[in-house]
């Protein structure tokens, strides 16, 4: 009997040993890439037994948690410049490219039929345009039945890299916006209701008739929402499509020296969607052992995760950029 018990315990110990030996990585931050990180983590655990726990708390929260060393990696849609990285003793690299769409909920107006000039978007979020049938909107939508209803603006309530990229786009599109609101992870909104995370904003738009808000494209697709047609920096109408996201992404000018700092909104080109953004990973310089585990996960994702990224509406990094990131890892994580 004792022999049988010992044998059973040995078998149990062998069974759990791989789990005990497996890596566990904790990250937190941007909601922008969260659906993709969840998918990558699921596949990574299935293939390697290693766990990646990611919390979607917004870019502001991600920066705070990695700065305080609460998590193993932070995630932010707002890139940090070289000085801020140096001050926080952080490393930074992009993980994937996404896009921010202007989603709306107006009965009778379907996806990719409502045209909104970039300056009109700015005026809506600034509270200057308050009705759906305002003459400024009607001018570009003569065949669209616009209701005589108040526009309900939906924005982020938390510190957000999505907000940073969106307000960067608005500042580049509208003098009024730039002078009165500016660019930031959190701003003093003139109007509207707030939702936490991209998921919170998407849910509010879905539940609120006559609403409009800004969300990452993956949340638009997941919730089957409608998105507006916008204008490129060169003044051409452009829909929120993969090809148009790619057209903007190709202008990214990343360098290892600047830790890949770059903004991708309002890129040149007649088909470049105007609100494209990369999302970034932040690592503490003094933890090379854990950093190697984190980059092992992202290298796995770079090699195996492009199809999933495309399926969810993201743009995978070009292979040349991935190789540049690998060089950056080799130079900075030893």
């Amino acid at each position: 009997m004792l022999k049988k018990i010992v044998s059973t315990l040995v078998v149990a110990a062998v069974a759990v040993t791989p789990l005990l030996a497996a890596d566990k990585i904790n990250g937190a931050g941007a909601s922008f890439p969260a659906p993709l990180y969840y998918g990558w983590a699921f596949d990574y655990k299935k293939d390697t037994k290693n766990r990646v726990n990611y919390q979607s708390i917004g870019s502001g929260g991600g920066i705070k948690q990695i700065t305080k060393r609460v998590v193993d990696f932070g995630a932010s849609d707002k890139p940090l410049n070289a000085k801020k990285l140096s001050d926080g003793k952080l490393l930074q690299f992009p993980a994937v490219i996404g896009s921010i769409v202007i989603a709306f909920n107006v009965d009778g107006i379907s996806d990719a039929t409502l045209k909104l000039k970039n300056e009109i978007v700015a005026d809506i979020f600034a509270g200057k345009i308050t009705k759906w049938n305002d003459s400024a909107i009607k001018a570009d939508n003569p065949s669209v039945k616009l209701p005589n209803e108040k526009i309900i603006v939906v924005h982020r309530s938390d510190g957000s890299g999505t907000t940073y990229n969106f307000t960067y786009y608005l500042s580049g599109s509208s003098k009024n916006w730039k002078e009165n609101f500016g660019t930031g992870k959190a701003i003093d909104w003139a109007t509207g209701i707030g939702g936490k995370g991209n998921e919170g904003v998407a849910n509010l738009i879905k539940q609120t008739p006559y609403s409009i808000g800004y969300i990452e494209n993956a949340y638009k697709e997941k919730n089957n929402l409608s998105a507006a047609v916008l204008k490129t920096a060169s003044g051409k109408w452009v829909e929120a499509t993969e090809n148009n996201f790619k057209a903007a992404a190709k202008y990214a000018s990343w360098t290892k020296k600047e830790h890949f700092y770059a903004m991708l909104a309002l890129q040149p080109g007649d088909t470049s969607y105007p609100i494209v953004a990369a999302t970034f990973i932040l690592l503490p310089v003094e933890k090379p052992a854990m950093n190697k585990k984190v980059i092992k996960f992202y290298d796995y994702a770079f090699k195996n995760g492009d199809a999933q990224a495309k399926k969810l509406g993201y743009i995978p990094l070009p292979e040349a950029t991935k190789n540049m990131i690998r060089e950056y890892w080799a130079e900075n994580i030893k």
Side-chain angles (χ1 to χ4, degrees):
M1 181 67 178
L2 179 60
K3 184 176 180 181
K4 184 177 180 180
I5 293 172
V6 170
S7 177
T8 302
L9 290 174
V10 169
V11 171
V14 170
V16 300
T17 297
L19 295 177
L20 292 173
D23 293 333
K24 181 180 178 182
I25 305 164
N26 292 308
S31 63
F32 185 94
L36 181 58
Y37 291 175
Y38 297 152
W40 280 350
F42 178 84
D43 289 346
Y44 189 60
K45 183 182 178 183
K46 182 176 65 177
D47 290 347
T48 70
K49 300 296 187 292
N50 297 322
R51 294 176 57 195
V52 178
N53 176 48
Y54 184 74
Q55 293 181 303
S56 173
I57 61 172
S59 296
I63 293 170
K64 286 179 182 177
Q65 289 210 3
I66 192 61
T67 299
K68 294 179 179 179
R69 302 323 195 236
V70 175
V71 291
D72 301 315
F73 71 91
S76 173
D77 306 326
K78 177 190 175 182
L80 301 185
N81 61 33
K83 184 181 185 307
K84 289 185 177 179
L85 290 169
S86 178
D87 291 346
K89 295 181 174 57
L90 296 169
L91 301 171
Q92 172 179 268
F93 63 89
V96 74
I97 296 169
S99 53
I100 299 167
V101 300
I102 309 303
F104 60 88
N105 179 357
V106 180
D107 191 36
I109 305 180
S110 58
D111 186 32
T113 58
L114 178 69
K115 294 180 177 179
L116 295 176
K117 289 191 181 85
N118 299 331
E119 56 267 35
I120 298 298
V121 175
D123 284 348
I124 290 172
F125 281 83
K128 290 183 69 178
I129 294 177
T130 60
K131 287 291 190 74
W132 277 107
N133 63 347
D134 187 283
S135 59
I137 301 176
K138 289 173 68 175
D140 292 314
N141 298 278
S143 61
V144 177
K145 188 176 181 181
L146 295 163
N148 182 27
E149 296 287 347
K150 182 181 177 182
I151 298 173
I152 308 298
V153 168
V154 184
H155 54 73
R156 290 286 287 272
S157 60
D158 53 331
S160 157
T162 306
T163 297
Y164 185 87
N165 282 279
F166 179 61
T167 54
Y168 177 90
Y169 149 78
L170 294 181
S171 293
S173 303
S174 165
K175 182 180 179 182
N176 173 68
W177 184 275
K178 183 176 182 179
E179 292 178 350
N180 291 289
F181 300 94
T183 301
K185 296 195 303 294
I187 67 166
D188 292 327
W189 296 98
T191 186
I193 54 177
K196 187 173 182 180
N198 272 279
E199 52 274 343
V201 173
N203 286 334
L204 279 174
I205 295 170
K206 194 171 185 176
Q207 297 166 12
T208 310
Y210 308 111
S211 61
I212 189 170
Y214 58 97
I215 51 174
E216 204 284 322
N217 184 57
Y219 292 86
K220 177 255 184 186
E221 298 293 340
K222 180 181 178 182
N223 291 279
N224 197 29
L225 295 170
S226 298
V229 179
L230 304 178
K231 279 207 166 184
T232 65
S234 61
K236 305 293 184 181
W237 290 111
V238 62
E239 295 181 14
T241 66
E242 179 183 347
N243 284 339
N244 295 335
F245 302 154
K246 284 182 177 178
K250 71 182 182 183
Y251 289 99
S253 55
W254 286 311
T255 66
K256 292 182 291 180
K257 182 180 179 181
E258 295 297 321
H259 303 274
F260 302 93
Y261 179 90
M263 298 296 295
L264 304 183
L266 297 169
Q267 294 294 336
D270 287 347
T271 60
S272 296
Y273 188 76
I275 334 177
V276 169
T279 190
F280 297 83
I281 300 303
L282 300 168
L283 299 175
V285 297
E286 77 282 1
K287 296 187 177 182
M290 178 54 74
N291 288 346
K292 287 178 181 178
K293 295 180 181 180
V294 175
I295 65 173
K296 185 178 178 182
F297 165 62
Y298 279 98
D299 194 45
Y300 167 92
F302 288 169
K303 291 174 181 175
N304 302 282
D306 285 2
Q308 187 167 183
K310 291 176 183 177
K311 185 178 179 180
L312 290 172
Y314 299 90
I315 305 300
L317 297 175
E319 203 59 39
T321 302
K322 292 177 183 177
N323 288 332
M324 190 189 304
I325 292 169
R326 292 180 179 113
E327 292 172 4
Y328 176 82
W329 291 339
E331 292 168 6
N332 292 279
I333 301 172
K334 299 176 182 178

